Amino acid sequence: MLKTPEIIRTLQRKLYRKAKQEPACRFHALYDKVYRADILSHAYALVRANKGSAGIDGVTFAAIEEQEGITAFIAELEEALRNKTYKPDPVKRVMIPKADGSQRPLGIPTIRDRVAQMAAKLVIEPIFEADFCETSYGFRPKKSAHAAVDDVAYAMNTGYTEVIDADLSKYFDTIPHANLMAVVAERICDGAILHLIQMWLKAPVVEVDKDGTKRNIGGGKGNRKGTPQGGVISPLLSNLYLHLLDRIWERNNLQRRLGARIVRYADDIVLLCRRGQSGQVMTVLRQILERLELTLNEAKTKIVNAYKGKFDFLGFTIWMGKSRRTGRLYPHVQPSKKAEQKVKDRITELTRRERTVMPLEWVVNKTNAMVRGWVGYFHYRNCSQTLSRIRNHLEQRLNTHLRKRHKVRDRNAGYVRFPSRSLYEKYGLYKVPTSAGWKRAHALR
């Protein structure tokens, strides 16, 4: 994680404090901060650290640094923003395969546009952060998916065990621009900032065919809805629009009145209800979303009694389990079957027979890095059994890979030649921990 320079942190703290102390304050002198050289430099470093690919112009980080250089790149962007000649490039559309066989559209702005968006985000995010509700966890400083899951578990443990697992239909594609800009304008009246955001929202979306032909498939000045997934500013804007849902819930004291706590991570939403309240809560949720011009995906939205059923949230499967040791009920949180299968499939892919032509060290390092990242997120709460299965799968796959590499046909001979211990000591395989990420899960329940 890159450390924010103190001079930028000071600015952010001042903006946050002002916004927190004066909920009705509208900020007007912000645009000149966006093109400050230090803010643009830090924005470039942050975008660079995210490692994203090139946008529609094909310009990569390597090309910027080898040809014009970072200093010249930032100076050009600074001048364009200062003189208000800056215009965003079209957004490159790529399709990302999903586990269910469908595809998710991802919009990739050019590096130049990503840096400009990051600079704007550095300036305006503290203002909106002051307004966000405590039950909102996505894309926020000092908030996390684990904290959201903890909130869900705590609510379940205090009697909120009827769960509405809400799914919004094509949320990022359906955010109404006029409504979103009205929410932004509640806090920001700097016309230049508002114009920047409008330009990013209305940037044309272009798809590149296999033969290199570019086709305009959306966006543009006539576009009235959506913010492309993949833009640096998009998570903040999408979070800001759903803040309206949180705010309605909080200001109308619906947790007390309806017996339902809302927990939200971006557009992943669960409403935890007291027994018998889920029907009324669902009606109210539909009414609010209708006002926001958003739609529930009825096929994926479901109501679950956590004593009898399970639901998935942020990669985890959650239900009310019974402790074998004490007999007490507690919120059981473990990696979902989908998340487990995904990492197993990736391990299998990285260690398949065709990879025997690659250096063994490369195969092991690549696999280790991927598994470490997965474990870093899922080594949490009641994960022991899942992690044991992942470790076993990892050992078996590397053993199989070594047999193929050394032409050892017999499986049992492979286990003798490449015992588990040697996988770690000789070949450097990452050892997946198999103790629970949160050892007191049962003891505290």
Side-chain angles (χ1 to χ4, degrees):
M1 180 69 77
L2 287 171
K3 186 177 180 182
T4 305
E6 191 55 36
I7 190 170
I8 299 175
R9 288 291 300 124
T10 300
L11 170 66
Q12 291 175 325
R13 278 192 288 265
K14 285 179 180 177
L15 291 169
Y16 176 85
R17 280 199 295 267
K18 177 81 170 173
K20 200 71 174 173
Q21 290 164 4
E22 301 179 34
C25 175
R26 297 178 74 210
F27 293 77
H28 59 87
L30 297 173
Y31 186 71
D32 62 318
K33 317 292 190 296
V34 172
Y35 60 74
R36 258 175 41 181
D38 61 330
I39 287 179
L40 286 172
S41 294
H42 186 55
Y44 180 87
L46 290 169
V47 173
R48 181 77 169 86
N50 289 336
K51 296 180 179 178
S53 58
I56 199 69
D57 60 359
V59 176
T60 62
F61 291 106
I64 290 169
E65 290 159 20
E66 290 170 11
Q67 295 168 19
E68 61 180 314
I70 298 173
T71 304
F73 172 85
I74 290 169
E76 182 276 325
L77 181 54
E78 178 185 351
E79 185 178 356
L81 288 166
R82 183 194 302 274
N83 297 334
K84 298 185 180 176
T85 58
Y86 167 82
K87 294 286 186 294
D89 294 305
V91 173
K92 181 182 177 182
R93 165 72 59 86
V94 295
M95 304 303 289
I96 307 299
K98 294 172 70 173
D100 60 5
S102 63
Q103 292 186 312
R104 177 170 64 91
L106 190 68
I108 306 176
T110 60
I111 291 173
R112 179 174 179 266
D113 291 335
R114 297 207 297 270
V115 173
Q117 289 184 20
M118 183 66 81
K121 180 174 177 279
L122 287 168
V123 175
I124 68 175
E125 184 175 53
I127 296 167
F128 297 116
E129 179 61 28
D131 294 337
F132 287 150
C133 301
E134 63 167 25
T135 54
S136 167
Y137 293 91
F139 308 126
R140 294 183 60 190
K142 299 180 182 177
K143 293 277 190 173
S144 68
H146 288 172
V149 172
D150 284 342
D151 194 333
V152 168
Y154 179 78
M156 289 169 63
N157 209 40
T158 51
Y160 295 86
T161 53
E162 275 190 9
V163 182
I164 298 173
D165 180 6
D167 187 273
L168 297 182
S169 184
K170 297 181 178 177
Y171 171 61
F172 282 83
D173 296 333
T174 57
I175 300 171
H177 289 176
N179 296 6
L180 173 60
M181 291 307 298
V183 181
V184 175
E186 283 183 8
R187 275 303 206 170
I188 295 174
C189 58
D190 186 325
I193 291 281
L194 297 176
H195 180 62
L196 260 187
I197 294 172
Q198 282 273 24
M199 287 197 296
W200 290 326
L201 289 175
K202 295 186 180 299
V205 179
V206 173
E207 200 167 65
V208 183
D209 293 335
K210 290 180 181 177
D211 61 1
T213 305
K214 295 177 181 177
R215 292 185 299 113
N216 195 320
I217 58 167
K221 292 181 179 178
N223 183 33
R224 299 285 181 269
K225 289 184 176 182
T227 175
Q229 285 180 269
V232 172
I233 202 76
S234 295
L236 175 61
L237 296 178
S238 60
N239 213 17
L240 184 58
Y241 192 60
L242 272 181
H243 167 61
L244 293 174
L245 170 62
D246 304 335
R247 194 166 75 182
I248 290 168
W249 216 265
E250 190 175 272
R251 289 185 180 178
N252 293 282
N253 202 9
L254 295 183
Q255 178 165 338
R256 183 183 61 78
R257 289 169 56 194
L258 296 178
R261 180 170 180 81
I262 187 169
V263 178
R264 185 175 67 80
Y265 189 97
D267 61 330
D268 284 307
I269 304 166
V270 291
L271 292 113
L272 299 115
C273 315
R274 295 204 180 274
R275 191 172 299 175
Q277 297 299 306
S278 57
Q280 184 184 2
V281 174
M282 185 69 95
T283 300
V284 172
L285 176 63
R286 283 199 178 95
Q287 289 171 349
I288 296 170
L289 292 177
E290 188 176 337
R291 283 170 57 189
L292 298 178
E293 298 179 39
L294 300 173
T295 309
L296 268 182
N297 184 332
E298 300 291 347
K300 292 186 177 180
T301 296
K302 58 183 181 178
I303 300 174
V304 177
N305 179 337
Y307 288 110
K308 299 177 181 177
K310 304 174 181 180
F311 65 97
D312 286 354
F313 183 52
L314 303 178
F316 294 94
T317 298
I318 308 173
W319 73 94
M320 291 300 289
K322 192 172 186 177
S323 170
R324 290 192 297 270
R325 188 170 59 82
T326 65
R328 295 168 68 185
L329 292 168
Y330 69 97
H332 185 96
V333 179
Q334 71 178 47
S336 68
K337 289 293 182 187
K338 183 177 174 182
E340 179 180 345
Q341 192 57 51
K342 190 173 180 179
V343 73
K344 283 181 176 177
D345 289 346
R346 186 68 181 129
I347 290 168
T348 301
E349 169 71 14
L350 288 170
T351 56
R352 69 184 193 272
R353 180 194 292 266
E354 290 80 357
R355 302 262 177 175
T356 55
V357 298
M358 307 295 291
L360 179 59
E361 186 180 5
W362 183 91
V363 172
V364 173
N365 288 345
K366 196 87 171 171
T367 306
N368 283 352
M370 187 277 298
V371 176
R372 268 201 187 93
W374 191 91
V375 171
Y377 181 73
F378 286 104
H379 187 206
Y380 171 73
R381 285 195 174 244
N382 315 100
C383 60
S384 298
Q385 291 182 7
T386 304
L387 291 179
S388 293
R389 290 193 294 270
I390 299 302
R391 183 194 278 188
N392 289 338
H393 183 73
L394 185 57
E395 289 180 0
Q396 287 170 10
R397 285 302 309 169
L398 185 58
N399 188 287
T400 300
H401 180 85
L402 288 167
R403 284 198 295 110
K404 302 298 183 189
R405 187 177 281 268
H406 295 283
K407 297 180 173 53
V408 178
R409 293 187 177 183
D410 184 72
R411 185 186 295 266
N412 290 330
Y415 285 123
V416 171
R417 182 165 173 184
F418 311 112
S420 293
R421 185 173 177 179
S422 74
L423 299 182
Y424 301 106
E425 294 180 358
K426 183 176 179 180
Y427 299 105
L429 184 65
Y430 167 63
K431 195 163 193 173
V432 176
T434 54
S435 59
W438 187 40
K439 295 180 180 177
R440 298 180 298 158
H442 295 273
L444 294 177
R445 303 301 179 195

Coordinates of all heavy atoms in Angstrom, one line a residue, residues 201-205 216-223:
L201 N -18.7 10.2 -17.1 CA -20.0 9.4 -17.2 C -20.4 9.2 -18.7 O -21.0 8.2 -19.1 CB -21.1 10.1 -16.4 CG -21.0 10.0 -14.9 CD1 -22.1 10.8 -14.3 CD2 -21.0 8.6 -14.4
K202 N -20.2 10.2 -19.5 CA -20.6 10.2 -20.9 C -19.6 9.9 -21.9 O -19.8 10.1 -23.1 CB -21.3 11.6 -21.2 CG -22.5 11.9 -20.4 CD -23.3 13.1 -20.8 CE -24.5 13.3 -19.9 NZ -25.5 12.2 -20.0
A203 N -18.4 9.4 -21.4 CA -17.4 9.0 -22.4 C -17.9 7.8 -23.3 O -18.6 6.9 -22.8 CB -16.2 8.5 -21.6
P204 N -17.7 7.9 -24.6 CA -18.1 6.8 -25.4 C -17.4 5.4 -25.0 O -16.3 5.4 -24.5 CB -17.6 7.2 -26.8 CG -17.3 8.6 -26.7 CD -16.9 8.9 -25.3
V205 N -18.2 4.4 -25.2 CA -17.7 3.0 -24.9 C -17.4 2.3 -26.2 O -18.2 2.2 -27.1 CB -18.7 2.2 -24.0 CG1 -18.1 0.8 -23.7 CG2 -19.0 3.0 -22.7
N216 N -18.1 1.6 -31.7 CA -18.7 2.3 -30.7 C -20.0 1.6 -30.2 O -20.9 1.4 -31.0 CB -19.1 3.7 -31.2 CG -19.4 4.7 -30.0 OD1 -20.0 4.3 -29.0 ND2 -19.0 5.9 -30.1
I217 N -20.1 1.1 -29.0 CA -21.2 0.3 -28.5 C -22.0 1.0 -27.4 O -22.9 0.3 -26.8 CB -20.7 -1.1 -28.1 CG1 -19.7 -1.0 -26.9 CG2 -20.1 -1.9 -29.2 CD1 -19.4 -2.3 -26.2
G218 N -21.7 2.2 -27.1 CA -22.5 2.8 -26.0 C -21.8 4.1 -25.5 O -20.9 4.6 -26.1
G219 N -22.4 4.6 -24.4 CA -21.9 5.9 -23.9 C -22.2 7.0 -24.8 O -23.2 7.0 -25.5
G220 N -21.4 8.1 -24.7 CA -21.6 9.3 -25.5 C -22.6 10.3 -24.9 O -23.1 10.0 -23.8
K221 N -22.7 11.4 -25.5 CA -23.5 12.5 -24.9 C -25.0 12.2 -24.7 O -25.6 12.7 -23.7 CB -23.4 13.8 -25.8 CG -22.0 14.4 -25.9 CD -22.0 15.6 -26.7 CE -20.6 16.2 -26.8 NZ -20.5 17.4 -27.7
G222 N -25.5 11.3 -25.5 CA -26.9 10.9 -25.3 C -27.1 9.9 -24.2 O -28.3 9.6 -23.8
N223 N -26.1 9.4 -23.6 CA -26.2 8.4 -22.6 C -26.7 9.0 -21.3 O -26.2 10.0 -20.8 CB -24.8 7.7 -22.3 CG -24.9 6.6 -21.3 OD1 -25.9 5.9 -21.2 ND2 -23.8 6.4 -20.6

